[in-house]
Amino acid sequence: MEQNLIVLHSKSRPPLSLLPHNSIQFECFTSTRVYANSINVSVTKRSHSHPKLLDAQLNQLCINGPLNEAVAILDSMAQQGSKVRPFTYMNLLQSCIDNDCIWVGRELHARIGLVGKVNPFVETKLVSMYAKCGYLKEAWKVFDEMRERNLFTWSAMIGACCRDHRWEEVVNLFHDMMHDGFLPDEFLIPKIVQACGKCWDFETGKLIHSLVIRCGMCTSLRVNNSILAVYAKYGEMTCAKKLFKSMDERDIVAWNAMITGFCQKGEIEIAQKYFDVMQEEGIEPSLVTWNILIACYNQLGHCDIAMDLMRKMESFGITPDVYTWTSMISGFAQKGWIYCAFDLLKEMFLAGVEPSDITIASAASACASLKSLHMGLEIHCIAVKMGLVDNVLIGNSLIDMYSKCGNLEDAQRIFDMMLERDVYSWNSIIGGYIQAGFCSKAHELFMEMQESDSPPNVVTWNVMMTGYMQQGDEDQAFDLFQRIEKDGKIKPNAASWNSLISGYLQIGQKDKALQMFRQMQSFHIAPNPVTMLSILPACANLLAGKKVKEIHCCALRRNLVSELSVSNIFIDTYAKSGNISYSRSIFDELSTKDIISWNSLIAGYVLHGCSESAVDLFDQMRKEGLHPRRGTFASIISAYGHAGMVNEGKKAFSSLSEEFHIIPGVEHYIAMVNLFGRSGKLAEALEIIQNMPFEPNTFVWVALLTASRIHRNFGLAILAGERILELEPGNTITYHLLSQAYSLCGKSWEAPQLTKLGKEKAIRKPVGQCWMERENLVYTFVVGDQSKTYSDKLHSWLKRVAVNVKAHISDNGLCIEEEERENSSSVHSEKLAFAFAFIGSHRPPQVLRIIKKLRMCKDCHDTAKYLSLAHGCEIYLSDSNCLHHFKGGHCSCRDYW
């Protein structure tokens, strides 16, 4: 008789024939015996084995296999009308799990009707079989079709979703099982709590904690540790501390959770205390514990303490692993100590610890941030020797390193050689071309990327927009912005808006930047700290005070001021918009201050002429142990000059190099020229310019020209003006000042040889123009303007004021001014603004804020002083050289501007 052999798929042997899912019977012939250890199963149709014998054979197959023979035996039982015991069937399913044999598992599922009594345990095992073999969809199908479920069923499904990292489904299953009247046990709770932590569902985590308390599971260390880990992850350290103290037993896992939580919040001192107490209580720190602390110290920039900890752990007999070394190398790299990072990398090799791809990528990123091509080449060589050059992470970091070092050829070469590319690979090479200014090449790659397996993400679009903005092509950038959602099927994020806002500011389009900021909020895109840092420079002027307050309210609502960088820029912007008191309030409320916080407020006080406050703040900063930086010295020397403290200013300048080892820069020499200039020591001002270790720039000579103007040393003014013209031949204001200076010295002046275009520029007279804000409207005034409403009233009022000014303020003689002298038809723009403000309102304004294009003349300065005294008001006027604050007949500049 012809023999028909059935061969089913087995994990240990390649399949020769696959059984369809819905197959029910096999026809088996020949021998009357079933060989449990044979691949081929043969059963005669005429003789039937005893059901108990077949059941025993099935159980034997579960132990010794081959498992695929079980299907034929089940079919034989079906022919005899026999049933298989549930226990035997579950053993078969467990064997499928153990051998990862989904094919046999499916055939067993197709024959579930042979089970004597299908109970929830059988179905639960079927769910487990599908789930553990990696077929979660089929596990869900069985689970959903179950008529009755028990705790084990829910546990199987929750465990399956945990293994597949489907955390939200785990949380949903927990709520469903509670709705069905089942409470999780102490073995299931840690899995659900873990899911809560992974999907940031803190509310469910708290619910589970209350459930644990009510059900009396508080003594379970495993349960307590899982809840503790969630509290720590969310930064809820108050709750974590309460739970930790209530625990009868604490193991290394509990201590690590507490230390991790405080480290994540940046509270390293408290974390260190727990670390010390843990040892006092007899719990030895594990490698994980040491790594948690070391990583935290490195992230906070305390690399020296982290290094001490690493050496200390070695003295405890714990060998640093690759995570420890990588953390240290990354810490030094972020700190900018690239040579120390490289020394550690070499030491790591000598210690026999093989770097991971993250180690190499961190080192390459350090080279990129410092633009150190030489070091980057060494890292590339190490990656090649270790055979990691094909690693996507390392390839991306090398592309970034070569791009930032300006070596686009090598960056492109690595990109072309990569066997696998992800979106970061494309973004790195596109970003490199953007940074180098090659937008056309970047756009070409951008188009290729759209056809690749890694289409552009929102970062790619943002990089392209930034590139076009940097090139001044705002139309192309805005076109990309409008196409993100349509072409890229991606919604613009906060960074997309930030790209446009900062781009418009870079090209001088402040109004468009503010307009984009308003639109961003109308589209319900939440501003982030970068948004604040991008938009606030647009408001750093006297007319934007209200706008700064609006943005500040927005930042407070979103708790953005908790970022120190955001608070620092508000300190700076409030000062520049004329609200130094607001700057001080923000400064005083800061829980932590960095050098930028101190520098911003000191510079603000100097801007407002509050030299005493600036000096006091500088002394306070020194007492608190902060070392002044370059910017600090530029501000404090200016403050000493403003206060007439020449000797103190000279000492500060000397200490710059002698005590703090800072090489003086041009900003410090400008401050010194102003220091001497204010006190009338013009010879010393000229001497310090002549002794500068580098060539003075325009700003240095402008400082000397200012001093010469104020003290009416027209000969020195001529010297400074001529030097300015040598550096800036087209400076029309300097031509105008030089012409006056020569005239006042009784000399004729022949202008230098100029091109035709240069002569045309030189002939043009500087036109005075100013802007004033009143009742949320900005008004523009131009010198000699006769078009304003009630122009006659304005001029009539100004004539009366002029009489009073002459009566109160004496004229000290002739001086040189940037603006043409006034006559009956050409009144200066700020005077028109004064008149408009005082006669155009029902009551005199309490505060006036004006921005002027040129430097104020002495007559307008005297007028502002008089008005502030006569009307009891404050006038803030920012000209091209100084912020004037007029109050009570005095100006914050102390008549030096």
Side-chain angles (χ1 to χ4, degrees):
M1 184 179 294
E2 185 179 352
Q3 191 177 51
N4 293 330
L5 300 180
I6 306 302
V7 182
L8 299 177
H9 175 64
S10 168
K11 187 176 181 181
S12 58
R13 298 175 178 83
L16 301 177
S17 172
L18 295 181
L19 190 68
H21 293 275
N22 57 358
S23 105
I24 302 213
Q25 286 188 340
F26 290 92
E27 291 190 3
C28 306
F29 298 95
T30 67
S31 81
T32 60
R33 300 177 63 187
V34 176
Y35 297 95
N37 293 326
S38 169
I39 295 178
N40 303 327
V41 179
S42 307
V43 183
T44 179
K45 290 183 74 172
R46 297 189 184 91
S47 60
H48 302 282
S49 297
H50 193 276
K52 287 185 178 181
L53 177 61
L54 293 176
D55 191 76
Q57 290 172 343
L58 288 174
N59 281 310
Q60 187 63 33
L61 288 176
C62 292
I63 300 170
N64 298 321
L67 195 59
N68 51 6
E69 293 185 2
V71 178
I73 294 175
L74 287 176
D75 287 336
S76 175
M77 293 179 73
Q79 291 177 1
Q80 298 177 30
S82 301
K83 295 288 185 180
V84 64
R85 290 190 308 155
F87 179 78
T88 305
Y89 187 80
M90 286 191 289
N91 276 351
L92 289 169
L93 291 174
Q94 183 61 49
S95 297
C96 292
I97 295 171
D98 296 339
N99 293 282
D100 193 21
C101 194
I102 186 63
W103 305 106
V104 175
R106 282 176 171 153
E107 294 298 341
L108 294 175
H109 186 192
R111 292 160 177 78
I112 195 171
L114 293 175
V115 179
K117 184 180 180 182
V118 178
N119 56 40
F121 294 99
V122 171
E123 292 177 313
T124 298
K125 183 60 73 173
L126 197 58
V127 170
S128 295
M129 185 274 297
Y130 278 122
K132 291 180 180 178
C133 288
Y135 291 84
L136 190 58
K137 185 177 179 181
E138 289 167 271
W140 267 111
K141 188 173 186 300
V142 176
F143 179 81
D144 289 336
E145 292 175 353
M146 288 177 68
R147 290 158 294 182
E148 183 184 349
R149 299 174 185 140
N150 56 26
L151 180 61
F152 299 104
T153 313
W154 291 100
S155 298
M157 203 63 224
I158 287 172
C161 291
C162 280
R163 282 188 296 275
D164 212 36
H165 296 170
R166 302 199 179 192
W167 308 114
E168 290 184 4
E169 292 181 22
V170 171
V171 175
N172 292 334
L173 280 165
F174 163 70
H175 288 291
D176 290 343
M177 74 179 287
M178 291 282 288
H179 186 266
D180 277 5
F182 290 96
L183 294 176
D185 58 15
E186 62 184 60
F187 298 101
L188 193 55
I189 281 176
K191 294 180 180 179
I192 303 169
V193 171
Q194 181 192 20
C196 293
K198 294 290 186 180
C199 65
W200 295 91
D201 189 344
F202 184 57
E203 292 304 314
T204 301
K206 288 196 294 185
L207 172 65
I208 293 172
H209 190 190
S210 65
L211 183 68
V212 165
I213 295 171
R214 289 199 302 270
C215 295
M217 288 187 276
C218 299
T219 57
S220 171
L221 181 61
R222 189 163 174 262
V223 169
N224 286 333
N225 284 347
S226 65
I227 297 172
L228 198 61
V230 170
Y231 280 138
K233 179 172 184 175
Y234 278 93
E236 296 287 340
M237 297 313 296
T238 303
C239 298
K241 282 196 291 185
K242 287 180 181 177
L243 174 58
F244 185 76
K245 288 179 180 179
S246 70
M247 291 170 65
D248 297 328
E249 180 188 357
R250 305 185 192 107
D251 61 1
I252 187 68
V253 176
W255 287 97
N256 284 352
M258 294 300 294
I259 293 169
T260 301
F262 284 115
C263 283
Q264 286 175 349
K265 292 195 76 174
E267 297 176 359
I268 189 64
E269 296 85 2
I270 303 177
Q272 182 70 57
K273 286 180 183 177
Y274 271 83
F275 181 78
D276 296 336
V277 173
M278 178 176 89
Q279 296 173 76
E280 292 171 8
E281 294 194 5
I283 305 291
E284 289 296 325
S286 65
L287 175 62
V288 173
T289 320
W290 289 98
N291 282 345
I292 292 167
L293 269 184
I294 289 170
C296 183
Y297 275 116
N298 278 314
Q299 287 165 3
L300 294 173
H302 303 307
C303 301
D304 47 349
I305 301 176
M307 179 58 77
D308 290 341
L309 276 175
M310 181 174 166
R311 300 309 180 202
K312 189 176 179 182
M313 73 183 280
E314 291 176 321
S315 68
F316 273 70
I318 298 178
T319 305
D321 64 356
V322 66
Y323 182 89
T324 321
W325 288 99
T326 301
S327 175
M328 287 304 313
I329 291 167
S330 298
F332 279 122
Q334 289 170 10
K335 189 90 171 173
W337 298 351
I338 187 167
Y339 292 102
C340 294
F342 270 87
D343 288 342
L344 271 177
L345 187 61
K346 292 172 184 175
E347 191 178 338
M348 181 181 182
F349 276 111
L350 292 173
V353 179
E354 186 174 304
S356 66
D357 53 351
I358 298 175
T359 318
I360 302 298
S362 298
S365 296
C367 300
S369 61
L370 294 178
K371 297 183 179 179
S372 175
L373 182 59
H374 173 70
M375 297 285 191
L377 287 168
E378 286 192 35
I379 292 296
H380 192 176
C381 290
I382 292 171
V384 171
K385 288 176 183 176
M386 294 183 63
L388 294 173
V389 76
D390 290 331
N391 182 284
V392 175
L393 178 64
I394 291 176
N396 293 346
S397 60
L398 288 174
I399 291 171
D400 184 58
M401 182 274 295
Y402 280 121
S403 297
K404 287 180 178 173
C405 291
N407 193 336
L408 288 173
E409 289 184 7
D410 283 339
Q412 183 70 57
R413 190 175 295 113
I414 290 174
F415 179 80
D416 293 338
M417 290 172 61
M418 290 178 72
L419 301 175
E420 180 186 351
R421 298 172 187 150
D422 59 14
V423 68
Y424 301 104
S425 316
W426 288 93
N427 286 351
S428 296
I429 191 68
I430 289 172
Y433 281 111
I434 287 291
Q435 288 169 5
F438 299 120
C439 275
S440 57
K441 177 62 177 177
H443 188 266
E444 180 184 324
L445 285 165
F446 177 69
M447 299 303 291
E448 287 181 27
M449 186 179 180
Q450 293 181 19
E451 304 299 323
S452 73
D453 295 332
S454 302
N457 61 5
V458 70
V459 174
T460 325
W461 289 86
N462 294 346
V463 167
M464 290 300 302
M465 285 191 294
T466 301
Y468 281 116
M469 275 296 191
Q470 288 172 351
Q471 285 199 341
D473 194 346
E474 58 177 291
D475 293 335
Q476 183 67 32
F478 190 70
D479 178 62
L480 281 174
F481 178 77
Q482 292 180 312
R483 285 169 44 201
I484 294 178
E485 196 163 357
K486 181 182 177 183
D487 293 357
K489 305 294 187 292
I490 302 167
K491 286 191 175 182
N493 60 7
S496 311
W497 293 87
N498 293 344
S499 297
L500 287 183
I501 291 169
S502 59
Y504 281 126
L505 278 176
Q506 287 170 7
I507 60 177
Q509 302 264 8
K510 291 184 180 181
D511 290 338
K512 282 191 176 181
L514 288 167
Q515 182 183 351
M516 292 304 297
F517 178 69
R518 287 191 290 268
Q519 287 184 12
M520 176 183 185
Q521 294 175 87
S522 68
F523 278 88
H524 304 292
I525 303 297
N528 59 21
V530 177
T531 317
M532 298 293 115
L533 298 175
S534 299
I535 194 61
L536 283 171
C539 307
N541 65 75
L542 290 179
L543 303 187
K546 291 180 181 177
K547 177 56 68 177
V548 179
K549 291 179 183 178
E550 288 177 19
I551 296 173
H552 193 188
C553 290
C554 172
L556 286 169
R557 285 195 302 271
R558 301 188 182 280
N559 195 32
L560 298 177
V561 289
S562 60
E563 291 280 341
L564 186 56
S565 59
V566 174
S567 290
N568 287 345
I569 197 170
F570 271 113
I571 293 172
D572 179 69
T573 309
Y574 268 124
K576 290 175 179 175
S577 63
N579 287 303
I580 189 65
S581 59
Y582 281 72
S583 297
R584 182 71 201 219
S585 297
I586 294 172
F587 179 85
D588 289 339
E589 290 172 3
L590 290 176
S591 56
T592 57
K593 304 176 180 75
D594 61 7
I595 189 65
I596 298 173
S597 315
W598 294 88
N599 282 356
S600 298
L601 188 56
I602 291 172
Y605 276 134
V606 171
L607 179 67
H608 282 257
C610 305
S611 51
E612 293 80 5
S613 298
V615 171
D616 289 344
L617 197 65
F618 176 72
D619 293 339
Q620 184 184 341
M621 182 185 82
R622 295 295 306 278
K623 287 177 184 176
E624 295 201 9
L626 272 80
H627 293 297
R629 295 197 183 165
R630 302 182 67 87
T632 323
F633 279 104
S635 294
I636 204 62
I637 293 170
S638 297
Y640 284 134
H642 190 273
M645 302 166 69
V646 178
N647 290 332
E648 287 80 356
K650 290 166 69 175
K651 287 179 183 176
F653 184 77
S654 298
S655 69
L656 189 65
S657 55
E658 293 172 5
E659 183 180 350
F660 296 97
H661 309 291
I662 299 173
I663 299 173
V666 67
E667 67 274 21
H668 303 111
Y669 284 98
I670 293 170
M672 288 301 293
V673 173
N674 282 323
L675 176 88
F676 291 124
R678 275 185 175 273
S679 60
K681 300 178 183 295
L682 300 185
E684 292 185 53
L686 181 59
E687 183 182 358
I688 199 167
I689 293 175
Q690 291 171 338
N691 291 330
M692 285 175 61
F694 46 82
E695 286 298 316
N697 65 9
T698 302
F699 298 103
V700 175
W701 292 112
V702 167
L704 183 63
L705 181 58
T706 298
S708 306
R709 280 179 61 253
I710 297 298
H711 295 288
R712 292 175 172 79
N713 188 327
F714 303 123
L716 198 55
I718 289 171
L719 171 66
E722 288 178 342
R723 295 293 179 272
I724 294 170
L725 279 187
E726 288 174 6
L727 295 168
E728 294 183 357
N731 192 321
T732 57
I733 291 176
T734 305
Y735 272 99
H736 185 62
L737 293 173
L738 265 179
S739 176
Q740 292 178 68
Y742 271 102
S743 178
L744 290 170
C745 288
K747 298 179 181 179
S748 61
W749 177 55
E750 290 185 10
Q753 293 296 319
L754 298 173
T755 62
K756 182 179 179 181
L757 180 61
K759 287 180 181 178
E760 289 176 359
K761 285 184 177 180
I763 293 170
R764 295 176 196 159
K765 304 292 183 184
V767 178
Q769 189 175 8
C770 74
W771 297 265
M772 182 185 73
E773 187 266 340
R774 195 180 79 175
E775 297 178 356
N776 297 323
L777 292 175
V778 175
Y779 295 87
T780 304
F781 300 88
V782 181
V783 61
D785 188 4
Q786 303 287 330
S787 63
K788 288 291 179 215
T789 309
Y790 23 82
S791 176
D792 292 340
K793 288 185 179 180
L794 297 181
H795 287 82
S796 176
W797 183 85
L798 285 170
K799 285 178 183 178
R800 293 196 302 273
V801 168
V803 173
N804 293 328
V805 170
K806 288 180 181 178
H808 283 79
I809 301 174
S810 59
D811 189 359
N812 295 324
L814 296 171
C815 62
I816 59 176
E817 306 283 6
E818 289 188 0
E819 202 166 3
E820 286 289 307
R821 288 189 173 276
E822 290 183 327
N823 56 46
S824 58
S825 62
S826 61
V827 178
H828 286 177
S829 58
E830 61 267 46
K831 283 189 179 178
L832 293 174
F834 295 154
F836 184 75
F838 280 98
I839 71 172
S841 56
H842 299 295
R843 59 180 180 177
Q846 295 300 304
V847 179
L848 277 183
R849 297 177 184 275
I850 300 170
I851 296 177
K852 182 173 169 62
K853 186 178 179 182
L854 298 175
R855 194 187 307 237
M856 285 186 83
C857 73
K858 184 180 182 304
D859 186 43
C860 291
H861 196 267
D862 290 343
T863 303
K865 287 200 294 185
Y866 166 75
L867 291 173
S868 70
L869 176 66
H871 294 277
C873 66
E874 294 182 57
I875 300 173
Y876 290 90
L877 193 150
S878 176
D879 67 11
S880 62
N881 193 59
C882 181
L883 171 63
H884 304 267
H885 179 200
F886 301 95
K887 184 179 180 181
H890 300 281
C891 180
S892 60
C893 75
R894 300 187 184 182
D895 297 336
Y896 185 96
W897 74 99

